[in-house]
């Protein structure tokens, strides 16, 4: 009953994206705690830094709190003008990570940006690619996006490979500070036309109709 009332007030809780192995949806509180614990246990090796987020800094509890704060901030800051949809990635109810779709002025610009993380024990099993396909299916086939963008460190070979496999093309570079080091990221763009040409796993989107006004649609 509580979940039904919550979905009535915040329709995004009724949105689900399903792929052959995965389910993407907003986590409930106990699932959010499990995702936070997963991130606290590690999303990459200690000798790596593939993300701007310093996932190896602090204690596991510190890293878990970052996940909690990020989730609450995305929900609390939602507006049609600027939104971030952070969906938990689950396999048979087990939390694997989080994928995020975000946009500004989406009704006019029609572009989204994706990002993601998976617990280190769930990597190298194709889950990252499959979850991205689910997210892009939502963006292109149901929200009518014109393009999807991502930024990837040039030394993040795993994420680079996922993006290239899905048809992303070079769209310039950006430079960020990673600690005391300036690092170059490739900006990558996937157009709607390129997406339509790709062979990919099937994905099913359910429960979107009630949420469409939240995207300005």
């Amino acid at each position: 009953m509580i979940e039904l009332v919550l979905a009535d007030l915040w329709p995004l809780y009724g949105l689900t994206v399903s792929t052959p192995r995965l389910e993407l949806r907003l986590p409930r509180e106990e699932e959010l705690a499990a995702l936070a614990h997963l991130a606290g246990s590690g999303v990459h090796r200690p000798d790596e830094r593939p993300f701007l987020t310093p996932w190896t800094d602090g204690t596991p509890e510190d890293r878990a709190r970052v996940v909690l704060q990020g989730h609450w901030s995305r929900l609390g800051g939602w507006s049609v003008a600027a939104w971030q949809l952070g969906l938990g990635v689950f396999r048979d109810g087990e939390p694997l990570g989080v994928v995020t779709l975000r946009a500004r002025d989406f009704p006019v610009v029609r572009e989204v940006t994706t990002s993601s993380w998976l617990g280190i024990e769930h990597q190298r099993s194709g889950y990252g690619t499959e979850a991205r396909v689910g997210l892009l299916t939502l963006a292109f086939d149901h929200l009518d996006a014109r393009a999807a963008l991502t930024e990837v460190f040039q030394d993040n070979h795993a994420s680079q490979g996922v993006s290239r496999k899905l048809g992303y093309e070079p769209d310039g570079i950006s430079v960020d500070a990673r600690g005391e080091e300036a690092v170059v990221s490739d900006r990558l763009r996937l157009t709607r036309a390129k997406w339509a040409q790709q062979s990919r796993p099937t994905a099913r989107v359910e429960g979107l109709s009630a949420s469409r006004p939240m995207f300005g649609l």
Side-chain angles (χ1 to χ4, degrees):
M1 177 62 70
I2 293 177
E3 290 185 2
L4 290 175
V5 172
L6 187 59
D8 287 341
L9 295 173
W10 197 262
L12 290 170
Y13 274 101
L15 172 65
T16 302
V17 181
S18 303
T19 66
R21 297 182 295 172
L22 306 175
E23 186 175 72
L24 314 181
R25 54 179 172 77
L26 282 180
R28 276 48 178 180
E29 288 301 304
E30 66 278 6
E31 294 170 332
L32 177 60
L35 284 164
H37 177 73
L38 181 66
S41 299
V43 302
H44 59 78
R45 297 199 314 263
D47 60 336
E48 297 178 328
R49 179 74 187 274
F51 306 109
L52 277 178
T53 301
W55 284 111
T56 53
D57 287 2
T59 66
E61 290 75 19
D62 292 331
R63 298 192 290 272
R65 291 187 188 105
V66 168
V67 174
L68 299 179
Q69 289 179 302
H71 176 76
W72 293 328
S73 176
R74 287 189 293 269
L75 292 181
W78 188 285
S79 72
V80 170
W83 48 261
Q84 297 187 63
L85 179 63
L87 302 178
V89 180
F90 301 91
R91 183 179 186 190
D92 297 328
E94 180 184 8
L96 308 185
V98 171
V99 291
T100 303
L101 190 71
R102 64 183 188 273
R104 287 186 176 275
D105 300 313
F106 182 74
V108 177
V109 178
R110 297 285 178 163
E111 292 187 348
V112 298
T113 300
T114 65
S115 58
S116 64
W117 63 264
L118 293 177
I120 195 166
E121 64 265 40
H122 303 301
Q123 297 171 15
R124 302 185 184 280
S125 298
Y127 297 139
T129 300
E130 193 170 323
R132 181 99 67 97
V133 166
L135 207 58
L136 293 172
T137 298
L138 171 63
F140 284 118
D141 299 347
H142 296 268
L143 298 179
D144 199 26
R146 297 192 187 106
L149 315 176
T150 192
E151 293 193 13
V152 187
F153 287 154
Q154 291 182 334
D155 59 2
N156 186 346
H157 303 299
S159 187
Q160 287 271 0
V162 169
S163 297
R164 307 288 183 180
K165 181 164 56 177
L166 291 175
Y168 285 77
E169 297 176 315
D171 191 40
I173 63 168
S174 61
V175 181
D176 296 286
R178 184 168 62 182
E180 298 299 317
E181 175 190 18
V183 293
V184 177
S185 293
D186 288 325
R187 291 203 306 260
L188 303 171
R189 175 183 292 267
L190 176 62
T191 64
R192 185 181 181 86
K194 192 74 172 179
W195 166 255
Q197 299 171 6
Q198 302 303 307
S199 174
R200 56 186 179 273
T202 58
R204 184 176 72 255
V205 175
E206 297 176 297
L208 177 63
S209 58
S211 299
R212 290 181 67 82
M214 300 186 71
F215 297 97
L217 303 176

